[in-house]
Amino acid sequence: MTLRTGHIGLNVTDLDRSLAFYRDVLGFGVIAEGKEEEERRYAFLGSLAGDGRPVLTLWQQAQGSYDKARAGLHHLALEVDSVDRVREYEAALRDYGVDFAYEGVVAHREGSASGGIFFHDPDGTRLEIYAPSGAEGAPVPSATAPTCGFF
């Protein structure tokens, strides 16, 4: 039996704010929403053109923002087909006022064809949108570690 990722679950502090970000800016479709109690709500998100399977679930149950110093999720990487598509997301994220870790598209490491953008969601969770090729010649933030390592 081979395991593969089914979906990613993220704790969020404000479901409405996170839904606006993941749905309206990143383009995820809402598959289902619900609540256990008014302050404990959730949403299943997937591709707008997908098969109805959840890709990401948001759980409104966090009391504070993401803490990179604690064990758990390091970052969530989302793949697109081209660097041009990465740049389209970059423009939409800039319009939304997102905080970026690096300026523009960066390579994953020196000499790498893959690269992308690195940023934070409304709760500070680290995110990456990348393309597997097309970033040749893009700057590399660190010569000694993968770009996604310590942002």
Side-chain angles (χ1 to χ4, degrees), residues 37-52:
E37 304 161 2
E38 192 56 42
E39 65 276 353
R40 291 171 47 106
R41 299 168 46 218
Y42 62 89
F44 295 160
L45 307 178
S47 169
L48 290 174
D51 58 8

Side-chain angles (χ1 to χ4, degrees), residues 14-30:
D14 181 331
L15 185 63
D16 293 328
R17 179 179 70 172
S18 291
L19 269 176
F21 178 78
Y22 285 97
R23 180 192 58 222
D24 301 343
V25 181
L26 296 184
F28 283 99
V30 177

Side-chain angles (χ1 to χ4, degrees), residues 2-124:
T2 302
L3 294 175
R4 65 178 183 259
T5 303
H7 67 274
I8 305 296
L10 297 178
N11 283 338
V12 300
T13 57
D14 181 331
L15 185 63
D16 293 328
R17 179 179 70 172
S18 291
L19 269 176
F21 178 78
Y22 285 97
R23 180 192 58 222
D24 301 343
V25 181
L26 296 184
F28 283 99
V30 177
I31 295 170
E33 290 184 67
K35 64 181 174 180
E36 179 177 292
E37 304 161 2
E38 192 56 42
E39 65 276 353
R40 291 171 47 106
R41 299 168 46 218
Y42 62 89
F44 295 160
L45 307 178
S47 169
L48 290 174
D51 58 8
R53 291 179 37 199
V55 173
L56 185 64
T57 57
L58 304 176
W59 301 94
Q60 181 179 289
Q61 61 185 354
Q63 299 301 310
S65 63
Y66 175 83
D67 183 353
K68 68 181 180 182
R70 296 187 59 141
L73 178 72
H74 181 274
H75 75 284
L76 175 58
L78 303 165
E79 183 180 328
V80 294
D81 294 334
S82 69
V83 168
D84 288 339
R85 189 73 177 118
V86 173
R87 289 189 176 103
E88 290 173 12
Y89 277 105
E90 179 187 11
L93 290 161
R94 285 198 188 285
D95 288 346
Y96 194 76
V98 166
D99 174 39
F100 286 86
Y102 310 112
E103 188 58 41
V105 173
V106 294
H108 279 133
R109 65 181 178 281
E110 192 67 44
S112 177
S114 64
I117 55 174
F118 298 80
F119 56 98
H120 301 89
D121 80 356
D123 283 308

